[in-house]
Amino acid sequence: MHLLKESIEFPNLFSGDIEVSRVAFTLFGKVDIYWYGILIAIGVVLAFSYAMKMAKKFGLIADNVFDTAFISVIAGFIGARAYYCIFYNLMNPESENKYNIITMFTKIHDGGLAIYGGVIIGVITALIVCRIKKSPLLPLLDLAAPAFLIGQAIGRWGNFINQECYGAPTAGSLPWGMTGTTIALDPIVVAAQTGNTEPVLVHPCFLYESLWCVVGLLLIHFVGRRVRKFDGEVFLYYVLWYGAGRGWIEGLRTDSLYAGSLKVSQVIAIASAVLAVIMIVYFRISAAKSEKALYADTELSKERLEAFAKKQVLEKENAAAKKAMKEAEKVMKAAKAPSILGDDENENNDDNSND
């Protein structure tokens, strides 16, 4: 391992190290752009693309989905940051580096986003927006579930570059155990290193969660949305799947946020997974009794989609007509343009040609 640069190693997988840098590039020689932010942005863009493409399958209008999701994502980021800062302050009541309403945003480059804060505030925001726009919330949440997993699967690789969100030391023989220049300085790793000649390896929790999200995405996309019996069921599958995985993975991590002696995210993960199971069973039984149609199969959804399609066709026709009128105006102006010789010269030339 090179001590003069940031690097990561997986010594049981291959020899050599992977050089990493939190900063991807610098704008104007002053503003650092971090890989973490880039990866989150890529995850958001891909999640939006998926949601826009799949919106119709859930009976939703793509434009409405975009508007609601755009506002909810912004609110979600604020919620994720606030969640982290609140519990960080509770864990460190005597710290001089406690966050306030200003430093919560000005120090965001230091890291600290908690997914559960983002999901909770994002869903609440989506509920408000859907009420205002008179759009159904539950089908939107079903659509958002796989989009969440896309963003999380990609965003976790920012933790890899930052050498954060890793787990406790392994037994040493784990094939994918990792270490790094920053990881090696962790007090827990330093303590475990005492008396050991081989480097202390830790669990790559970022990788566990990323892979868990990818598997969940495939299951929800190809199975979950096809077997759903009620609106909101796919979102509950997401809550169940992510909660089960996060509950296990959070138990391995050494950088968790605590409330007393309990890991906050682990408690929320396990509780949400159990609640999701109960709700899935209850609402599937209720759906079987009521035989209520999914929103995508209702006449209301079909009417709205048809009206939106007609609106799009009309907008395209109007745009084409405006373009044609502009082209016609250009042709007419060109035809009426005066000669550089002047009208008198043109008339004389016409008379001479007649002679």
Side-chain angles (χ1 to χ4, degrees):
M1 183 187 302
H2 297 282
L3 298 179
L4 298 179
K5 65 180 181 181
E6 291 292 315
S7 61
I8 295 172
E9 283 189 57
F10 294 87
N12 292 339
L13 281 180
F14 54 85
S15 60
D17 55 15
I18 304 170
E19 185 176 355
V20 294
S21 173
R22 294 180 64 193
V23 179
F25 57 90
T26 302
L27 286 177
F28 313 116
K30 295 182 179 180
V31 182
D32 290 335
I33 305 299
Y34 293 86
W35 277 113
Y36 187 71
I38 292 175
L39 288 168
I40 289 179
I42 291 173
V44 169
V45 170
L46 292 179
F48 263 81
S49 299
Y50 176 91
M52 297 295 287
K53 184 176 181 180
M54 298 295 294
K56 193 173 181 179
K57 293 184 181 297
F58 290 86
L60 300 171
I61 296 172
D63 282 10
N64 289 345
V65 170
F66 181 89
D67 294 342
T68 305
F70 182 79
I71 298 171
S72 298
V73 165
I74 295 174
F77 274 115
I78 296 173
R81 181 60 174 167
Y83 179 106
Y84 174 85
C85 293
I86 289 170
F87 283 103
Y88 178 89
N89 288 347
L90 291 175
M91 284 174 53
N92 304 277
E94 305 300 326
S95 174
E96 295 181 356
N97 297 319
K98 287 172 62 176
Y99 293 99
N100 56 44
I101 193 65
I102 297 175
T103 57
M104 184 174 79
F105 297 104
T106 58
K107 291 186 177 181
I108 197 168
H109 60 277
D110 292 338
L113 294 174
I115 184 62
Y116 274 117
V119 172
I120 293 169
I121 299 302
V123 170
I124 293 174
T125 303
L127 171 62
I128 295 171
V129 176
C130 285
R131 286 289 181 90
I132 295 173
K133 297 177 72 67
K134 297 182 179 179
S135 298
L137 174 66
L138 295 180
L140 179 66
L141 292 181
D142 284 342
L143 177 62
F148 281 152
L149 291 170
I150 292 172
Q152 290 171 249
I154 296 173
R156 277 301 175 196
W157 285 88
N159 300 135
F160 166 72
I161 294 174
N162 288 354
Q163 297 187 60
E164 60 190 8
C165 298
Y166 50 83
T170 71
S173 59
L174 191 70
W176 49 83
M178 67 181 289
T179 186
T181 49
T182 299
I183 296 171
L185 300 177
D186 187 318
I188 295 176
V189 176
V190 172
Q193 185 68 60
T194 304
N196 292 332
T197 56
E198 296 295 325
V200 174
L201 307 182
V202 299
H203 286 279
C205 289
F206 81 92
L207 179 61
Y208 297 163
E209 188 166 329
S210 181
L211 293 177
W212 187 260
C213 288
V214 170
V215 174
L217 170 64
L218 296 175
L219 288 174
I220 285 179
H221 178 80
F222 291 107
V223 181
R225 67 186 182 88
R226 287 182 169 84
V227 301
R228 67 186 180 121
K229 298 298 182 181
F230 60 90
D231 291 316
E233 185 174 357
V234 173
F235 181 73
L236 289 176
Y237 286 142
Y238 160 76
V239 174
L240 168 59
W241 181 262
Y242 183 70
R246 182 63 182 269
W248 163 63
I249 295 169
E250 194 70 21
L252 297 173
R253 287 176 56 172
T254 60
D255 61 343
S256 302
L257 295 170
Y258 281 84
S261 60
L262 298 176
K263 292 186 175 184
V264 179
S265 292
Q266 187 177 39
V267 171
I268 293 177
I270 295 173
S272 63
V274 172
L275 181 61
V277 171
I278 295 172
M279 293 179 71
I280 289 170
V281 173
Y282 175 79
F283 286 113
R284 281 186 74 90
I285 293 174
S286 298
K289 291 180 179 179
S290 66
E291 296 183 353
K292 183 180 179 180
L294 294 170
Y295 176 75
D297 298 326
T298 63
E299 290 301 319
L300 176 61
S301 171
K302 294 175 182 178
E303 289 174 2
R304 287 180 173 179
L305 286 172
E306 185 178 354
F308 178 70
K310 289 180 179 179
K311 179 183 176 183
Q312 284 185 310
V313 171
L314 183 60
E315 288 176 351
K316 288 181 179 179
E317 290 177 349
N318 288 339
K322 288 180 180 179
K323 184 178 180 181
M325 289 179 63
K326 288 182 179 179
E327 293 295 331
E329 289 176 358
K330 289 181 180 179
V331 172
M332 292 177 64
K333 287 180 179 179
K336 293 180 178 180
S339 168
I340 60 173
L341 298 176
D343 292 339
D344 293 338
E345 291 293 334
N346 284 334
E347 290 176 2
N348 291 335
N349 288 337
D350 289 341
D351 293 341
N352 291 335
S353 63
N354 290 333
D355 294 340

